[in-house]
Structures are given as C-alpha cells and as structure tokens.
Amino acid sequence: MKTIRLMAALAASLLFTQPAAAADAYPSKPIKLIVPYQAGQGTDVAGRYLAEYLARALGQPLIVENRPGAGGNIGASEAARAAPDGYTLLMGTNGTHVLNEYMYSSTAFDPDRDFEPVMLVSSFPMVLLTRPGSPYANLADLRDAKKAKADSINVGMPSTTARLVFELLKQQGVNSMRGIPYKGSATATTDLMGGQVQIGIDTVSAARSFITSGKLRALAVTSLKESALLPGVKSIAEQGLPGFQVIAWNGLYAPKGTPPAIVQRLNAELAGILARPEVRQRLLELGHEPGGGTPAELTAFSRSERLKWQPLIVQAGLKAE
C-alpha cells in the first residue's frame, strides 16, 4: 500500500512540474509571430524590427508571418486557434482587440477570452495623406469640397482604425468623402500615389518614408496636438475639430492558456529591449512611441479603450463591412 501511495504521489508531482519544466526550457524551437496586416504596414514594420531583438534575446528565430484581411480578424483568429505553448504569438492592435468587436458582425475570436496579453508595444497617431500637387492642402479644403459640390473624394482605408477616423470625420462635417477599404497599406499607398484614390488614412509609421521622400503629403494627424513623430503637421483638432483624437496601438499577445512563466519571460525580454536607447530611438524614427508595462496593464488598457469607443461606434452605427 505504501508503494502504491508513493507511486501516486510521484505521478502527481510529475504532472504538476511538467508545465514548469516546459516553461523553463522555452523556447526550444523557432517562434511564429503573426502580423494580421500586409507587409509594410505600421504594425508589420515595428513587429519585424522588434522580432530581430526578441529572437536574439530568446535564442531562437522569430518568423514573422503576414495574415492580412478583414481588418486584422483573419490573422488574429488564426493566432487564437493556435496551441497555447508560446510558439505562436500575435502582434495585436487597437483594431483586433478593441474596434473590430463592434465594427464587424463576426470576428471568430474574443479579444479577452482567447488571448493572454504580454505587453503594450507602441502607440501612434494616424495621418491624412494626399499626393503632391493635390488641390487638398489641409482639412479645410476637404470640408470646402462639399460646399463646392465637388465629386466625392475617394479615401483609401487600409485598417479598422482608418475606417474609424473616416467615419468620425464624416460625423463632424467632413462628408465629401467616399471610403474605399483595402487589405493593407501597401496597396492603399500604391493606389493613392497612382491617383485611384485622392486621400489616404494610415499610420504615421506606414506613411512616414513616403512623406519624407516627397512622394506623399501629410494633411493632418489624429493626435490632439502636433505629434513629435511627424513635426510640422497640424492635428485635425488644431484645424477646426476640437477634441478629435484617435490613437492606434500595438500589443503583443499569446493564445489563451499559454503558461504564465512563458508570458512573463516574453514580457521581461521585451521590457529589456524597449528600454534600450537605440531601440527607442529607432521606433520613434519608424513612427512609434515605445510602450511597456505588465500583461495586467495591457488588459486594463484595452478594456478602457473598449469602454471609450464602444458607445460611440454603436450609437453611430459604424460598420467596417
């Protein structure tokens, strides 16, 4: 009898120590980072840059896979279905983890129940764009286009956040525009430069190189005031719509059920990376304000964002489909 009890105790001990042992050995193979947008989009740019540092810190390759479509829902739902072992991660956004829940009839995932938050990675405003030589030089020109009974202005929208900015502008009187959805920044930017759309709404990160090279011109940013990420460009709020503010953000997530030790390891490594001066400087150059914090803080932040945007989206009947 003593032998049986001893074996049972040993089996129980092994059962409860296996997850901890697995976490201690993590990672032992390459990790996949899903970016739910096209290559070249703001989230993709920051994700690939940080993936290089995280791979060195963890001692395993981080393979970035782009899964664009449905405002990020396709990639996020794939990550939600992945094994919770730390070998599939998601670079989530305010689109996938806040806005899409209210702007799409179905997302195939729940942002709270299906993910373990790791860390807020970065935040950034959106920017209104046009081509050099365009008749639209600022927000007033877009508002005046309606007064002049001009044809509808086609606006490229490569994300849910871009759609939100578009709808908020229409609500506040800038209603000469017609929204054209895109799967990502690359195709939206190509059509903007080619004249298929007259205005673009995108992240500062995705648009910055085109602005600095003179291929595109910035009309306004969506922060309350001029952003240090794009100096010299006035905000929408400063151009006649007081209080207008839409800030986008990126956050690292793992599938629900990922061992806490793995989540904490990822958080600690990422915190160390984001504390490096050269990383912070490079993220600013890419159009991202560096983030940070604990998994619990990311949970609280995303929930506060839902409380902020859900009533507005529902009341206005905003839909991304």
Side-chain angles (χ1 to χ4, degrees):
M1 183 65 68
K2 289 184 178 179
T3 302
I4 294 174
R5 286 198 297 266
L6 181 61
M7 291 177 66
L10 180 60
S13 174
L14 289 172
L15 178 66
F16 286 108
T17 57
Q18 277 181 343
D24 289 341
Y26 174 84
S28 59
K29 62 181 181 179
I31 300 166
K32 177 168 67 176
L33 174 63
I34 294 177
V35 173
Y37 303 97
Q38 284 184 346
Q41 195 134 332
T43 299
D44 176 73
V45 171
R48 288 180 182 276
Y49 174 69
L50 291 173
E52 296 178 7
Y53 280 86
L54 195 54
R56 289 198 290 269
L58 294 172
Q60 289 289 343
L62 240 75
I63 302 167
V64 178
E65 292 192 7
N66 296 91
R67 292 287 185 268
N73 289 340
I74 291 176
S77 61
E78 179 180 328
R81 295 191 302 268
D85 55 9
Y87 291 99
T88 299
L89 305 174
L90 173 72
M91 189 60 77
T93 68
N94 58 305
T96 60
H97 281 70
V98 176
L99 305 178
N100 290 1
E101 181 178 358
Y102 311 114
M103 296 181 72
Y104 284 84
S105 57
S106 175
T107 60
F109 65 91
D110 184 284
D112 257 347
R113 291 197 301 266
D114 293 338
F115 292 97
E116 300 286 356
V118 176
M119 178 180 284
L120 178 69
V121 172
S122 65
S123 60
F124 43 91
M126 306 293 283
V127 58
L128 272 64
L129 303 155
T130 192
R131 290 179 297 158
S134 163
Y136 311 110
N138 49 47
L139 190 65
D141 289 340
L142 295 178
R143 301 177 80 172
D144 291 343
K146 183 66 176 179
K147 298 175 185 177
K149 297 183 178 180
D151 292 335
S152 292
I153 301 168
N154 289 333
V155 180
M157 307 179 304
S159 66
T160 311
T161 310
R163 180 61 181 261
L164 178 63
V165 172
F166 170 80
E167 295 290 355
L168 291 176
L169 285 171
K170 287 181 64 177
Q171 279 187 20
Q172 299 193 42
V174 189
N175 50 16
S176 58
M177 307 183 297
R178 180 174 63 182
I180 309 296
Y182 285 85
K183 287 186 176 181
S185 297
T187 47
T189 300
T190 297
D191 280 3
L192 176 58
M193 292 192 295
Q196 283 77 18
V197 295
Q198 291 75 51
I199 299 293
I201 302 174
D202 213 330
T203 64
V204 170
S205 177
R208 189 166 180 167
S209 64
F210 296 99
I211 296 169
T212 55
S213 67
K215 294 178 180 178
L216 291 175
R217 179 157 49 86
L219 303 181
V221 291
T222 62
S223 47
L224 275 178
K225 297 181 179 180
E226 179 181 317
S227 171
L229 298 174
L230 207 58
V233 180
K234 289 185 177 180
S235 69
I236 290 174
E238 293 170 322
Q239 294 188 51
L241 295 181
F244 191 105
Q245 182 184 38
V246 178
I247 300 298
W249 51 268
N250 292 335
L252 187 65
Y253 290 85
K256 194 70 172 182
T258 300
I262 289 178
V263 172
Q264 290 300 328
R265 170 80 187 279
L266 291 168
N267 179 276
E269 298 292 2
L270 193 53
I273 292 167
L274 290 175
R276 299 175 66 155
E278 71 274 18
V279 171
R280 298 183 67 84
Q281 180 60 37
R282 182 55 181 157
L283 284 175
L284 290 171
E285 291 171 356
L286 292 173
H288 290 256
E289 289 278 0
T294 66
E297 287 172 335
L298 177 53
T299 295
F301 173 65
S302 60
R303 287 176 179 170
S304 70
E305 285 278 278
R306 288 191 208 109
L307 289 174
K308 173 183 177 180
W309 290 115
Q310 189 263 354
L312 185 151
I313 291 170
V314 172
Q315 181 180 4
L318 304 184
K319 295 295 180 183
E321 298 169 303

